[in-house]
Amino acid sequence: MFATWSIKKRIVVSVVALCVASITILGLFTYQYQMHQLREGLKDEAANSGRLFEALLKGDAEGLARAHAGLDKLDVLLAPFAAGNKDALLAAAKPVFAEVKQNNNITHMYFIQPDGKVLLRVHKPEQDGDVLKRETFLKAQATKQMAWGLEMGKNFFSLRCVKPVSYRGSALGYMEVAEEIDHVFQQMKQITGNDVSLFLTEDYLKSKSTEVKSELVHSFRILNPTQKPVALGLAAKAGVEMTEGLSEPRIAMISFQGGKYLVGVSPVKDASGSTVGVLFSHKEISPLIMTMWKGVAAQMAIFIAIIVAAMTIVYLSLKPSLDLFSTLKQHIVAVTSTWDLNRRL
């Protein structure tokens, strides 16, 4: 079939095929390059979220330490603590706790005896007498210094700060103040614009005998989400990234409900230094994707314009030669048909 084509048709088809192949290859290259640039610009998103989370926790821990500095000098609290008088201690601690709860976001206050036995939970005075085995308390007991960190309670993953206290030169035991960390995720959203959630592993929650009843996604349970439905939907599609995120930060681009989302996953450690879950951040990047495609389209349009202009120049430059070849062909056909050698070309 190709052998029967005219020279003109062969040249035109070859040039068109070359142009189409060039445009296709350039389009793929441009798309891959733009996606690479987009990923490079977003690759630190997960690590940055993890660093911000740790920075906010550290700031809150310093606030708890400052609260301790005032509380462990109040004789109104230390005297009944030294006497082991729970009722008097509760009466004295209630107004103090109400004030620090309002001003410092403190949600828990404990008075703990030297052996770890809880004398009083000011936030839950009906619960006492149990012996604490939490990492923050064990660190404070071992080092005789203040210790802080994230730990799981019955229902909440809390930031706890435990400090040894003394009264009139004698060691009394320990005082603990703690806060729930749901506000940290709201602060992160205000700073970055990204929605954030905490996903703790099911194994970790079972080991702590918690009563958390949140939704299970893969082997994780969600806590403190700033946009729960979207977080659950994206997490359902990011099982691999969440598992890998227990070791090091990961990002993924996930399509959900007609939009494109960037998901960042980074490990979260508790007071013992063990990885207990992942910090899960996400934001819609559909506008960025649209901008990327506009960039691809603009580059393709410029390239196509160059190709069309080049083809036009080539065609105009070859047209006289193509016309000559066509005339020669007609002359040769006429001569070989009639053998009239008197015709002029």
Side-chain angles (χ1 to χ4, degrees):
M1 177 180 175
F2 186 75
T4 62
W5 287 1
S6 65
I7 295 175
K8 183 177 181 179
K9 187 174 182 180
R10 291 183 185 185
I11 292 175
V12 170
V13 171
S14 298
V15 171
V16 170
L18 180 61
C19 292
V20 171
S22 300
I23 292 170
T24 302
I25 293 171
L26 179 67
L28 290 173
F29 174 79
T30 303
Y31 170 75
Q32 291 176 351
Y33 176 76
Q34 292 283 358
M35 285 298 294
H36 173 74
Q37 291 294 98
L38 182 61
R39 285 182 177 275
E40 284 295 305
L42 299 173
K43 70 177 182 179
D44 292 331
E45 193 80 18
N48 290 339
S49 293
R51 285 191 285 268
L52 176 60
F53 181 65
E54 292 175 359
L56 292 174
L57 287 179
K58 185 176 181 181
D60 278 14
E62 291 172 352
L64 294 178
R66 288 192 294 271
H68 263 300
L71 294 173
D72 61 12
K73 292 181 175 60
L74 294 177
D75 283 355
V76 69
L77 299 178
L78 298 180
F81 186 16
N85 189 333
K86 177 185 172 183
D87 292 336
L89 179 58
L90 178 60
K94 267 189 172 181
V96 175
F97 177 63
E99 182 179 350
V100 296
K101 184 176 182 179
Q102 181 177 358
N103 298 333
N104 302 88
N105 290 323
I106 291 174
T107 55
H108 301 70
M109 180 184 286
Y110 297 74
F111 291 88
I112 308 163
Q113 295 174 331
D115 61 354
K117 186 177 181 179
V118 177
L119 175 65
L120 174 66
R121 283 178 171 86
V122 181
H123 55 289
K124 286 187 177 180
E126 68 279 4
Q127 297 179 5
D128 62 5
D130 55 311
V131 178
L132 296 181
K133 298 295 183 183
R134 288 197 292 262
E135 188 68 26
T136 46
F137 169 74
L138 295 177
K139 283 184 179 180
Q141 188 181 49
T143 62
K144 304 304 179 184
Q145 295 179 350
M146 186 174 63
W148 68 274
L150 288 172
E151 290 195 90
M152 192 70 211
K154 280 290 184 182
N155 299 289
F156 302 101
F157 199 49
S158 304
L159 178 64
R160 301 179 181 275
C161 187
V162 184
K163 185 179 180 181
V165 293
S166 58
Y167 181 59
R168 294 180 179 176
S170 300
L172 287 183
Y174 305 86
M175 187 183 298
E176 175 182 325
V177 291
E179 66 175 24
E180 297 167 16
I181 60 171
D182 51 336
H183 66 282
V184 172
F185 301 94
Q186 295 295 336
Q187 287 177 342
M188 291 183 68
K189 183 174 181 178
Q190 290 174 2
I191 294 170
T192 66
N194 299 351
D195 284 289
V196 193
S197 308
L198 179 65
F199 282 88
L200 299 180
T201 65
E202 182 75 347
D203 290 343
Y204 172 73
L205 293 173
K206 287 180 178 178
S207 71
K208 298 298 181 181
S209 301
T210 66
E211 297 177 358
V212 174
K213 302 299 183 184
S214 64
E215 289 82 351
L216 179 68
V217 182
H218 306 298
S219 59
F220 299 83
R221 287 197 180 274
I222 189 171
L223 277 77
N224 308 124
T226 57
Q227 195 176 23
K228 191 173 185 178
V230 176
L232 290 172
L234 293 172
K237 297 183 176 184
V240 174
E241 288 79 10
M242 292 177 72
T243 301
E244 293 177 348
L246 291 169
S247 302
E248 57 184 345
R250 287 283 187 270
I251 64 166
M253 292 184 186
I254 298 175
S255 298
F256 180 69
Q257 293 184 343
K260 198 78 170 180
Y261 289 81
L262 176 73
V263 171
V265 183
S266 58
V268 172
K269 299 180 184 296
D270 69 354
S272 68
S274 301
T275 301
V276 298
V278 295
L279 183 70
F280 190 93
S281 62
H282 58 91
K283 68 176 179 181
E284 188 171 3
I285 57 170
S286 299
L288 289 177
I289 298 295
M290 183 62 67
T291 300
M292 182 202 74
W293 278 114
K294 287 181 179 178
V296 172
Q299 292 185 47
M300 291 297 296
I302 292 171
F303 183 72
I304 291 172
I306 293 172
I307 290 290
V308 170
M311 288 178 63
T312 302
I313 294 171
V314 169
Y315 175 76
L316 293 175
S317 64
L318 293 178
K319 189 175 185 302
S321 299
L322 292 174
D323 290 343
L324 175 59
F325 284 129
S326 178
T327 303
L328 281 172
K329 179 182 176 183
Q330 293 172 6
H331 180 69
I332 292 170
V333 169
V335 169
T336 55
S337 301
T338 63
W339 294 104
D340 181 7
L341 301 180
N342 294 319
R343 297 185 60 179
R344 294 180 59 83
L345 178 60

